[in-house]
Amino acid sequence: AQSVTQPDIHITVSEGASLELRCNYSYGATPYLFWYVQSPGQGLQLLLKYFSGDTLVQGIKGFEAEFKRSQSSFNLRKPSVHWSDAAEYFCAVGASPPGAAGNKLTFGGGTRVLVKP
Amino acid sequence: DGGITQSPKYLFRKEGQNVTLSCEQNLNHDAMYWYRQDPGQGLRLIYYSHIVNDFQKGDIAEGYSVSREKKESFPLTVTSAQKNPTAFYLCASIRTSEGEKLFFGSGTQLSVL
């Protein structure tokens, strides 16, 4: 069964500093990987996704993530954090594209990011 | 504008009561999903449906029921059998032909009185 671990429950970062959120997954074949962001009391917004090809993927809001098969990781990074980046971030893994018959996404427990002025 | 609408935003349930959470989408999406979110546990899948009049159990379906009579609508009923219903519930949908991006509603917070 597929699983996702986000080791950090909370991260506090100063505005303008760099940010890295860790994600480790467990899945036997090539995974489909996603990062979502959630503002308080809201739904989730897709930041970026990896299906195949270049292992460094660019997303919205200046985020990027790198797929490392040898480490079963898909860490999210941003070079310079803005106060508006304070939110909860979820990593997710799927066995095939979402929406494919029988497929479902498995989400990690989330990392809450706090941004200090 | 197209999107997913969940209602109500806040819902309170009394002991032994069934309550229904609404999810409507006008995106012409085929697949719809219900997730439950508890603090520190991420999102867990309750039920999903890829076509009208068909749905499958997710990881935590016990105490919940759904229907998919229309493509646009996927209501979730939290029954009295669900002993710990307090959580944030998220509905999502996707067009299976695109197969890439889940669209999420803004959620319903369910609490027990």
Side-chain angles (χ1 to χ4, degrees):
Chain A
Q2 59 206 45
S3 66
V4 180
T5 302
Q6 293 180 245
D8 304 303
I9 298 175
H10 293 102
I11 285 182
T12 299
V13 61
S14 297
E15 192 168 14
S18 63
L19 174 68
E20 181 167 13
L21 304 182
R22 295 184 290 166
C23 172
N24 295 99
Y25 68 90
S26 174
Y27 181 64
T30 299
Y32 289 76
L33 295 160
F34 306 81
W35 274 100
Y36 283 86
V37 61
Q38 183 183 35
S39 298
Q42 297 298 314
L44 277 67
Q45 180 185 20
L46 180 68
L47 285 175
L48 48 78
K49 59 185 185 290
Y50 171 77
F51 286 176
S52 63
D54 192 348
T55 56
L56 184 64
V57 293
Q58 303 297 321
I60 63 171
K61 304 185 180 186
F63 285 93
E64 65 177 25
E66 186 171 13
F67 171 59
K68 293 186 177 179
R69 184 188 300 276
S70 62
Q71 299 177 18
S72 296
S73 70
F74 189 56
N75 294 349
L76 181 72
R77 298 192 293 255
K78 185 168 184 177
S80 178
V81 169
H82 187 261
W83 64 266
S84 60
D85 294 322
E88 188 153 23
Y89 294 79
F90 293 93
C91 182
V93 64
S96 58
N103 184 45
K104 57 185 182 181
L105 284 184
T106 299
F107 286 82
T111 299
R112 184 169 299 278
V113 173
L114 303 175
V115 179
K116 294 190 301 183
Chain B
D1 289 339
I4 301 178
T5 301
Q6 289 187 241
S7 62
K9 191 164 181 64
Y10 300 96
L11 186 59
F12 296 91
R13 194 190 89 166
K14 295 180 181 178
E15 198 75 33
Q17 184 183 38
N18 292 355
V19 292
T20 297
L21 285 60
S22 171
C23 178
E24 304 276 335
Q25 54 96 1
N26 59 4
L27 300 165
N28 197 31
H29 284 175
D30 310 292
M32 297 186 74
Y33 301 78
W34 273 106
Y35 289 90
R36 170 178 170 143
Q37 184 177 19
D38 296 278
Q41 294 193 43
L43 279 68
R44 292 181 291 168
L45 183 64
I46 305 172
Y47 268 99
Y48 61 103
S49 167
H50 285 139
I51 57 173
V52 174
N53 292 323
D54 188 45
F55 47 83
Q56 286 77 41
K57 293 181 179 180
D59 300 317
I60 55 164
E62 185 174 350
Y64 300 97
S65 66
V66 294
S67 63
R68 186 87 187 275
E69 297 176 0
K70 299 185 301 180
K71 188 176 185 179
E72 302 79 19
S73 179
F74 192 42
L76 173 74
T77 296
V78 184
T79 74
S80 57
Q82 173 50 247
K83 298 306 180 186
N84 183 24
T86 296
F88 191 58
Y89 291 85
L90 285 163
C91 180
S93 72
I94 192 170
R95 191 196 307 270
T96 52
S97 60
E98 292 180 358
E100 291 193 357
K101 178 179 174 180
L102 275 176
F103 285 78
F104 282 85
S106 57
T108 294
Q109 175 65 49
L110 175 62
S111 302
V112 177
L113 288 176

